[in-house]
Amino acid sequence: MDSASYWDQRYLENQTGWDLNGPTPALQAAIEGLPKTAFILIPGCGFGWDGEALWKKGYANVYLSDWAPSAKTAYLERVPDFPPDQFSSGDFFEWATLKENQGKFDVVLECTFYCAIPPQRRLDYAAAMAQILKPGGRLMGVLFTFPLTEAGPPFGGSVEEYHDRFSTPFALESMGASPLSIPPRADKEVFFCAKLQSL
Ligand SMILES: C[S@@+](CC[C@H](N)C(=O)[O-])C[C@H]1O[C@@H](n2cnc3c(N)ncnc32)[C@H](O)[C@@H]1O
């Protein structure tokens, strides 16, 4: 489950119940007004619908990360003018440690990546985000609120956990129900925005 081959197999077998086949309304609304020069990352992007939408809106510095080779291949076939080197195909956690990625991003967009990683990696997730965001940069998106289970992915979580997770070195700016959640997730997720504190 915590391997590129597990996820790749899910794509190859069309076991992709999370896939919206289009951009996530809450994420697209969240970046409204962001300068087109902003550096934006979508980790665990899967087929990359949100990345495609941002790229087509003129966000030249949108970066994607997913270690399932079929997800990247499908994305680059669909969006042939997207720079392949802006789609990292390795383990996100290793990629986040690379020198060139430190303090690089204005915004990281979260959607069904946090719930996909093993819960014991959640501290690593928060640490990686703190490494790759610029001081004052924001981690934002949607997080599931169904109870944490060992039967994932998806693994659940709670508002209480997210408050803890995205406190120091972040300041949680908002967390609550999102009017833009897709109907099947309406009562199962919250929209949040956490700002990386300046040093
Ligand atoms: C549930 S899917 C969500 C895909 C996408 N965010 C969406 O909403 O359609 C989780 C994705 O995270 C990717 N992933 C999981 N762990 C990863 C890791 N350590 N590094 C890079 N990608 C990872 C998987 O390959 C998978 O595509």
Side-chain angles (χ1 to χ4, degrees):
M1 176 276 289
D2 191 24
S3 70
S5 57
Y6 165 84
W7 287 102
D8 205 44
Q9 203 56 32
R10 299 275 308 242
Y11 286 104
L12 292 171
E13 291 172 0
N14 254 341
Q15 300 290 319
T16 55
W18 59 81
D19 183 55
L20 299 190
N21 200 35
T24 316
L27 296 196
Q28 295 299 313
I31 56 93
E32 281 290 323
L34 206 64
K36 293 288 181 345
T37 51
F39 277 73
I40 304 171
L41 171 71
I42 308 176
C45 67
F47 285 138
W49 302 106
D50 284 297
E52 176 182 2
L54 296 187
W55 176 251
K56 289 184 173 164
K57 283 177 186 167
Y59 287 94
N61 299 315
V62 60
Y63 284 69
L64 304 175
S65 157
D66 201 292
W67 62 4
S70 348
K72 179 172 180 177
T73 302
Y75 179 80
L76 291 177
E77 279 173 9
R78 223 178 56 239
V79 193
D81 61 338
F82 190 83
D85 61 351
Q86 284 181 214
F87 192 133
S88 156
S89 50
D91 178 2
F92 166 74
F93 294 97
E94 286 174 23
W95 179 84
T97 66
L98 299 180
K99 199 170 169 207
E100 67 262 29
N101 295 325
Q102 306 308 292
K104 178 168 179 166
F105 294 97
D106 297 288
V107 169
V108 176
L109 291 174
E110 164 60 44
C111 181
T112 62
F113 178 51
Y114 187 83
C115 69
I117 59 171
Q120 59 270 25
R121 297 224 74 181
R122 288 180 171 187
L123 281 175
D124 297 340
Y125 174 103
M129 297 305 168
Q131 276 182 300
I132 61 175
L133 280 167
K134 295 176 183 171
R138 288 180 169 87
L139 167 65
M140 57 173 84
V142 278
L143 293 167
F144 284 128
T145 52
F146 56 80
L148 181 61
T149 160
E150 287 181 13
F155 301 100
S158 67
V159 167
E160 292 72 28
E161 177 206 334
Y162 305 145
H163 271 278
D164 279 357
R165 188 77 64 233
F166 303 115
S167 57
T168 318
F170 297 94
L172 200 51
E173 293 188 317
S174 65
M175 179 171 301
S178 165
L180 293 173
S181 287
I182 59 163
R185 297 181 187 166
D187 52 353
K188 297 183 185 67
E189 68 180 12
V190 283
F191 183 87
F192 79 109
C193 178
K195 183 177 179 181
L196 183 64
Q197 302 285 63
S198 304
L199 297 177

